[in-house]
Structures are given as C-alpha cells and as structure tokens.
Amino acid sequence: MKKIIVLTVIVLGIIVACKSGNGSKSNVLTITLEPKSGSTVSGIATFSEKNGVVSFEAKLSGLKPGVHGIHIHEKADCSATDAASAGGHWNPLHVKHGKWTDTEHHKGDIGNFTADENGIATITLKTDEWCIGCGDANKDILGKGLIVHDKADDFVTQPTGNAGARVACSAIIR
C-alpha cells in the first residue's frame, strides 16, 4: 500500500511539474494584424503575462505617418472588410471611454501611438487590468479583437474616441 501511495505522489508531482512548464508558454500570445478598409496596414502584436501583469507590444507597418488609435474590441471577428464585425470597444465595466490613465476608461482603450514618416510604429503597454485566458470576464482578453484606427483617438467622443476607419484587425485567440 505504501508503494502505491508513494508512486501516486511521484506521478502527481510529475504531472504538476509538466503543467507548470506548459503554463508559462500558454501565457504568451502572438497575433497577426491584417489590413482592413482598403489599407495596407499589417503587423504583429504580442501579449505576455507574468505575475498578474500583461505586457503588450505591437509592431505595425503600412500606416499613414502620424497619430493612430488602437483598441481592444468586443469580438474576435475580423471577417467584415471594414472590421465592423469586431463590435465596439471592449467595455465590460460599462464606463465612459477615456485615456488609459483616466479613472474611467474602457478596458480596451489602449490609446494612441505615432507612425513615423515610413508608416512604421511600435506601441507598448503593461497592465494588471488584463489577463490571458484567466476566465474573468472583466479582465480576460481572449475572444476579443485588436483594432488599429486610421486617426487619433480624441478621448472625448463617446463611446469611440472618433478614431476613424478600422485599418487593421486581428482576433485575440490561441
């Protein structure tokens, strides 16, 4: 009987160790943004989670030089030519649209970034307001859409920020 218990403990320990090793890999998600609304915008976005903090980085090209808005939208659906299928901004707490640093802002209100004269841009953000696959409807980014807009977010117009056409889209899925 003692041999069975010891063997069971060893097997369970191996299973836990294997799951822990795989768990760290599952906390990194890279997605590909595709052009929408007749644009040539494309890019890669990476979300990684460590110790309850999600790091986000997007590298984009094909943009018009200048300022553009970027948001997480409600749905992981980029099927429409204008990406309208992704729905509105992800706003699980039903608050006003605003800057990431404002007390009130949508969970999807990432903000603005600037493309250089060659139409290339990088944006980064770290937050504990998101998670990757945790199942918390107020934090989980899986099943949402990442949208890049043609114009800057004005942070005033409700509920969209008046950021213009959706020029790139990707589903945030594994």
Side-chain angles (χ1 to χ4, degrees), residues 76-136:
D77 183 355
C78 296
S79 61
T81 58
D82 64 355
S85 50
H89 294 180
W90 175 43
N91 184 18
L93 301 177
H94 308 289
V95 296
K96 290 182 180 180
H97 172 69
K99 291 181 183 176
W100 191 256
T101 54
D102 291 347
T103 303
E104 275 196 332
H105 61 274
H106 300 157
K107 291 284 182 145
D109 287 344
I110 297 172
N112 289 328
F113 65 93
T114 303
D116 69 15
E117 65 278 355
N118 297 313
I120 297 172
T122 299
I123 182 169
T124 60
L125 173 74
K126 286 188 179 192
T127 182
D128 62 358
E129 291 190 36
W130 299 342
C131 66
I132 304 170
C134 69
D136 181 340

XYZ file of all heavy atoms in Angstrom, residues 76-136:
454
model
N -13.820 38.672 -31.363
C -12.683 38.145 -32.132
C -13.162 37.833 -33.546
O -13.064 36.714 -34.027
C -12.136 36.897 -31.455
N -13.693 38.843 -34.227
C -14.266 38.650 -35.559
C -13.816 39.776 -36.480
O -14.285 40.908 -36.370
C -15.794 38.613 -35.463
C -16.471 38.347 -36.794
O -15.784 38.281 -37.836
O -17.709 38.207 -36.797
N -12.918 39.453 -37.373
C -12.392 40.434 -38.333
C -12.909 40.143 -39.743
O -12.304 40.560 -40.733
C -10.867 40.404 -38.311
S -10.150 40.900 -36.739
N -14.016 39.437 -39.846
C -14.497 38.983 -41.155
C -15.004 40.105 -42.060
O -14.908 40.005 -43.278
C -15.592 37.922 -40.979
O -16.701 38.457 -40.271
N -15.526 41.187 -41.515
C -16.032 42.291 -42.339
C -14.867 43.058 -42.966
O -13.818 43.222 -42.344
C -16.890 43.233 -41.497
N -15.045 43.541 -44.178
C -13.973 44.265 -44.871
C -13.552 45.524 -44.122
O -12.422 45.980 -44.266
C -14.380 44.631 -46.309
O -15.564 45.426 -46.266
C -14.610 43.390 -47.143
N -14.471 46.080 -43.317
C -14.150 47.271 -42.523
C -13.954 46.943 -41.036
O -13.858 47.832 -40.205
C -15.235 48.326 -42.682
C -16.588 47.887 -42.142
O -16.746 46.709 -41.706
O -17.518 48.716 -42.154
N -13.917 45.650 -40.713
C -13.721 45.147 -39.348
C -14.843 45.535 -38.380
O -14.693 45.399 -37.169
C -12.366 45.555 -38.780
N -15.988 45.988 -38.907
C -17.128 46.315 -38.039
C -17.617 45.082 -37.283
O -18.231 45.203 -36.215
C -18.266 46.916 -38.863
N -17.309 43.901 -37.792
C -17.708 42.646 -37.153
C -17.054 42.450 -35.788
O -17.497 41.623 -35.000
C -17.376 41.470 -38.071
O -16.036 41.556 -38.520
N -16.034 43.229 -35.477
C -15.371 43.135 -34.164
C -16.157 43.856 -33.071
O -15.802 43.783 -31.893
C -13.948 43.697 -34.237
N -17.227 44.553 -33.446
C -18.049 45.250 -32.466
C -17.387 46.512 -31.937
O -16.423 47.017 -32.503
N -17.917 47.012 -30.836
C -17.402 48.226 -30.216
C -16.232 47.939 -29.288
O -15.783 46.803 -29.167
N -15.763 48.975 -28.616
C -14.659 48.806 -27.668
C -15.068 47.828 -26.577
O -16.212 47.819 -26.119
C -14.301 50.128 -26.994
C -13.736 51.147 -27.915
N -13.368 52.392 -27.477
C -13.467 51.123 -29.239
C -12.902 53.087 -28.490
N -12.959 52.336 -29.572
N -14.111 47.033 -26.124
C -14.343 46.116 -25.012
C -14.513 46.964 -23.761
O -13.616 47.695 -23.353
C -13.166 45.159 -24.909
C -13.218 44.235 -23.739
C -14.303 43.553 -23.270
C -12.131 43.885 -22.899
N -13.941 42.795 -22.183
C -12.617 42.986 -21.939
C -10.781 44.245 -22.866
C -11.805 42.434 -20.952
C -9.979 43.698 -21.892
C -10.484 42.789 -20.947
N -15.695 46.869 -23.149
C -16.050 47.719 -22.022
C -16.884 46.927 -21.009
O -18.057 47.220 -20.784
C -16.818 48.948 -22.537
C -17.148 49.945 -21.446
O -16.564 49.938 -20.377
N -18.111 50.802 -21.731
N -16.295 45.905 -20.389
C -17.078 45.041 -19.502
C -17.617 45.737 -18.256
O -18.582 45.256 -17.654
C -16.084 43.939 -19.123
C -14.742 44.590 -19.235
C -14.877 45.537 -20.405
N -17.033 46.859 -17.869
C -17.484 47.560 -16.664
C -18.492 48.667 -16.976
O -18.970 49.339 -16.064
C -16.286 48.133 -15.904
C -15.248 47.097 -15.462
C -14.075 47.769 -14.777
C -15.876 46.042 -14.571
N -18.809 48.857 -18.271
C -19.810 49.836 -18.713
C -19.519 51.244 -18.180
O -20.348 51.878 -17.551
C -21.220 49.386 -18.321
C -21.511 47.984 -18.760
N -21.694 47.637 -20.082
C -21.597 46.832 -18.056
C -21.905 46.333 -20.170
N -21.836 45.821 -18.953
N -18.294 51.704 -18.472
C -17.869 53.043 -18.064
C -17.617 53.893 -19.309
O -17.675 53.407 -20.429
C -16.598 52.984 -17.179
C -16.892 52.255 -15.871
C -15.443 52.322 -17.908
N -17.306 55.174 -19.103
C -17.037 56.078 -20.217
C -15.714 55.745 -20.894
O -14.780 55.267 -20.260
C -16.981 57.530 -19.724
C -18.301 58.091 -19.308
C -18.132 59.545 -18.883
C -19.461 60.138 -18.463
N -19.296 61.542 -18.045
N -15.656 56.065 -22.180
C -14.416 55.968 -22.953
C -13.453 57.040 -22.446
O -13.878 58.132 -22.069
C -14.735 56.196 -24.435
C -13.538 56.314 -25.307
N -12.710 55.255 -25.561
C -13.024 57.372 -25.981
C -11.737 55.660 -26.366
N -11.908 56.940 -26.627
N -12.158 56.726 -22.438
C -11.187 57.715 -21.990
C -9.760 57.259 -22.161
O -9.500 56.194 -22.725
N -8.850 58.061 -21.666
C -7.429 57.718 -21.702
C -7.155 56.605 -20.713
O -7.799 56.519 -19.663
C -6.572 58.932 -21.328
C -6.570 60.028 -22.340
C -5.668 61.166 -21.883
C -5.732 62.309 -22.875
N -4.948 63.460 -22.425
N -6.151 55.801 -21.022
C -5.770 54.690 -20.152
C -5.472 55.175 -18.743
O -5.725 54.493 -17.762
C -4.546 53.989 -20.751
C -4.254 52.694 -20.064
C -3.266 52.473 -19.163
C -4.962 51.462 -20.204
N -3.308 51.170 -18.729
C -4.344 50.530 -19.359
C -6.060 51.057 -20.951
C -4.772 49.214 -19.245
C -6.494 49.750 -20.834
C -5.856 48.846 -19.998
N -4.956 56.392 -18.624
C -4.593 56.931 -17.311
C -5.767 57.572 -16.572
O -5.640 57.927 -15.409
C -3.465 57.969 -17.463
O -3.873 58.955 -18.412
C -2.179 57.314 -17.936
N -6.915 57.742 -17.234
C -8.107 58.303 -16.588
C -8.716 57.290 -15.628
O -8.586 56.076 -15.826
C -9.180 58.680 -17.620
C -8.796 59.857 -18.488
O -7.815 60.551 -18.157
O -9.482 60.073 -19.513
N -9.410 57.780 -14.628
C -10.097 56.891 -13.691
C -11.085 56.003 -14.435
O -11.151 54.811 -14.195
C -10.836 57.712 -12.613
O -9.878 58.553 -11.966
C -11.493 56.814 -11.594
N -11.853 56.610 -15.339
C -12.792 55.845 -16.163
C -12.228 55.692 -17.561
O -11.818 56.674 -18.183
C -14.148 56.549 -16.258
C -15.072 56.255 -15.118
C -16.505 56.655 -15.435
O -16.739 57.575 -16.226
O -17.404 56.022 -14.864
N -12.189 54.452 -18.022
C -11.809 54.125 -19.399
C -12.254 52.699 -19.676
O -12.378 51.894 -18.759
C -10.300 54.280 -19.616
C -9.475 53.371 -18.750
N -9.105 53.714 -17.471
C -8.970 52.138 -18.974
C -8.408 52.731 -16.948
N -8.321 51.753 -17.838
N -12.516 52.430 -20.945
C -12.834 51.059 -21.335
C -11.601 50.195 -21.121
O -10.475 50.661 -21.291
C -13.203 50.986 -22.822
C -14.380 51.810 -23.211
N -14.564 52.233 -24.505
C -15.431 52.289 -22.513
C -15.683 52.928 -24.589
N -16.223 52.983 -23.379
N -11.800 48.926 -20.809
C -10.661 48.005 -20.691
C -9.914 47.909 -22.021
O -8.738 47.594 -22.054
C -11.129 46.613 -20.265
C -11.650 46.541 -18.853
C -10.537 46.564 -17.850
C -11.101 46.434 -16.455
N -10.253 45.686 -15.569
N -10.617 48.214 -23.111
C -10.000 48.155 -24.431
C -9.389 49.456 -24.908
O -8.855 49.529 -26.013
N -9.432 50.507 -24.118
C -8.905 51.820 -24.519
C -7.380 51.875 -24.379
O -6.858 52.462 -23.438
C -9.519 52.941 -23.666
C -10.958 53.229 -24.010
O -11.416 52.807 -25.079
O -11.627 53.896 -23.198
N -6.673 51.283 -25.320
C -5.214 51.290 -25.243
C -4.672 52.693 -25.466
O -3.784 53.141 -24.764
C -4.607 50.295 -26.255
C -5.049 48.872 -25.911
C -3.079 50.406 -26.274
C -4.681 47.828 -26.945
N -5.202 53.401 -26.467
C -4.787 54.783 -26.674
C -4.254 55.070 -28.057
O -4.667 54.460 -29.033
N -3.321 56.006 -28.133
C -2.744 56.457 -29.393
C -1.273 56.087 -29.484
O -0.601 55.911 -28.476
C -2.874 57.977 -29.533
C -4.300 58.418 -29.762
O -5.088 57.720 -30.371
N -4.623 59.600 -29.265
N -0.794 56.037 -30.713
C 0.621 55.834 -31.000
C 0.938 56.595 -32.274
O 0.037 56.978 -33.023
C 0.951 54.342 -31.139
C 0.269 53.700 -32.316
C 0.909 53.614 -33.542
C -1.019 53.209 -32.197
C 0.284 53.042 -34.632
C -1.666 52.632 -33.285
C -1.007 52.549 -34.506
N 2.210 56.819 -32.532
C 2.616 57.605 -33.698
C 3.415 56.758 -34.677
O 4.403 56.115 -34.287
C 3.465 58.818 -33.267
O 2.690 59.599 -32.335
C 3.843 59.688 -34.452
N 2.979 56.774 -35.938
C 3.724 56.120 -37.020
C 4.740 57.113 -37.571
O 4.424 58.299 -37.744
C 2.771 55.675 -38.114
N 5.939 56.644 -37.851
C 6.977 57.523 -38.387
C 6.713 57.854 -39.862
O 5.695 57.439 -40.424
C 8.369 56.924 -38.161
C 8.658 55.666 -38.983
O 7.925 55.360 -39.955
O 9.638 54.979 -38.652
N 7.637 58.578 -40.473
C 7.460 59.022 -41.860
C 7.392 57.856 -42.845
O 6.922 58.009 -43.970
C 8.562 60.007 -42.269
C 9.967 59.424 -42.297
C 10.652 59.367 -40.931
O 10.096 59.867 -39.929
O 11.752 58.792 -40.848
N 7.834 56.656 -42.404
C 7.759 55.454 -43.248
C 6.532 54.600 -42.940
O 6.395 53.507 -43.489
C 9.030 54.615 -43.074
C 10.258 55.364 -43.530
O 10.263 55.953 -44.615
N 11.292 55.361 -42.711
N 5.664 55.089 -42.045
C 4.458 54.346 -41.697
C 4.688 53.187 -40.750
O 3.878 52.270 -40.659
N 5.777 53.243 -40.001
C 6.134 52.172 -39.065
C 5.951 52.670 -37.634
O 6.276 53.813 -37.324
C 7.589 51.715 -39.295
C 7.702 51.123 -40.701
C 8.039 50.711 -38.240
C 9.109 50.819 -41.137
N 5.432 51.798 -36.775
C 5.193 52.189 -35.386
C 5.299 50.985 -34.457
O 5.063 49.848 -34.866
C 3.816 52.808 -35.240
N 5.635 51.276 -33.221
C 5.627 50.282 -32.145
C 4.894 50.906 -30.967
O 5.075 52.078 -30.668
C 7.064 49.909 -31.721
O 7.748 49.350 -32.844
C 7.060 48.896 -30.596
N 4.048 50.106 -30.325
C 3.356 50.568 -29.117
C 3.526 49.505 -28.050
O 3.489 48.304 -28.342
C 1.865 50.879 -29.382
C 1.204 51.401 -28.114
C 1.138 49.694 -29.954
C -0.173 51.988 -28.315
N 3.728 49.948 -26.806
C 3.864 49.028 -25.681
C 2.985 49.498 -24.518
O 2.698 50.686 -24.387
C 5.328 48.932 -25.198
O 5.757 50.225 -24.786
C 6.239 48.397 -26.291
N 2.585 48.552 -23.713
C 1.752 48.833 -22.542
C 1.915 47.683 -21.570
O 2.036 46.522 -21.997
C 0.281 48.952 -22.971
C -0.774 49.078 -21.879
C -0.737 50.467 -21.261
C -2.150 48.793 -22.441
N 1.907 47.976 -20.276
C 1.872 46.950 -19.229
C 0.692 47.262 -18.328
O 0.472 48.420 -17.982
C 3.160 46.948 -18.406
C 4.334 46.367 -19.130
C 5.521 46.217 -18.206
C 6.658 45.598 -18.999
N 7.739 45.163 -18.146
N -0.056 46.214 -17.966
C -1.227 46.431 -17.127
C -1.588 45.196 -16.317
O -1.376 44.064 -16.760
C -2.442 46.844 -17.975
O -3.546 47.101 -17.098
C -2.839 45.778 -18.982
N -2.170 45.441 -15.152
C -2.753 44.359 -14.368
C -4.281 44.333 -14.558
O -4.968 43.586 -13.893
C -2.385 44.491 -12.892
C -2.910 45.762 -12.250
O -3.548 46.596 -12.925
O -2.677 45.923 -11.032
N -4.787 45.139 -15.497
C -6.228 45.168 -15.785
C -6.638 44.088 -16.788
O -7.822 43.931 -17.067
C -6.635 46.540 -16.326
C -6.557 47.629 -15.280
C -7.197 48.927 -15.738
O -8.217 48.884 -16.441
O -6.664 49.988 -15.390
N -5.676 43.370 -17.369
C -5.951 42.300 -18.317
C -5.363 40.992 -17.801
O -4.490 40.974 -16.947
C -5.292 42.566 -19.665
C -5.692 43.786 -20.412
C -6.804 44.559 -20.235
C -4.969 44.387 -21.480
N -6.806 45.599 -21.137
C -5.681 45.512 -21.918
C -3.771 44.085 -22.120
C -5.258 46.318 -22.960
C -3.338 44.882 -23.156
C -4.082 45.988 -23.572
N -5.844 39.899 -18.394
C -5.238 38.587 -18.212
C -5.395 37.833 -19.534
O -6.173 38.237 -20.398
C -5.887 37.819 -17.055
S -7.614 37.375 -17.360
N -4.646 36.763 -19.679
C -4.712 35.948 -20.893
C -5.289 34.595 -20.524
O -4.599 33.748 -19.951
C -3.315 35.775 -21.523
C -2.677 37.123 -21.812
C -3.416 34.942 -22.810
C -1.208 37.039 -22.221
N -6.569 34.404 -20.788
C -7.197 33.109 -20.554
C -7.534 32.785 -19.121
O -7.699 31.621 -18.775
N -7.689 33.792 -18.262
C -7.989 33.527 -16.848
C -9.475 33.244 -16.608
O -9.842 32.749 -15.554
C -7.539 34.694 -15.977
S -8.511 36.213 -16.201
N -10.321 33.593 -17.584
C -11.749 33.333 -17.432
C -12.531 34.431 -16.741
O -13.751 34.353 -16.641
N -11.878 35.468 -16.261
C -12.552 36.599 -15.621
C -13.078 37.529 -16.727
O -12.296 38.156 -17.443
C -11.564 37.342 -14.722
C -12.167 38.535 -13.985
O -13.224 39.051 -14.401
O -11.545 38.972 -12.998
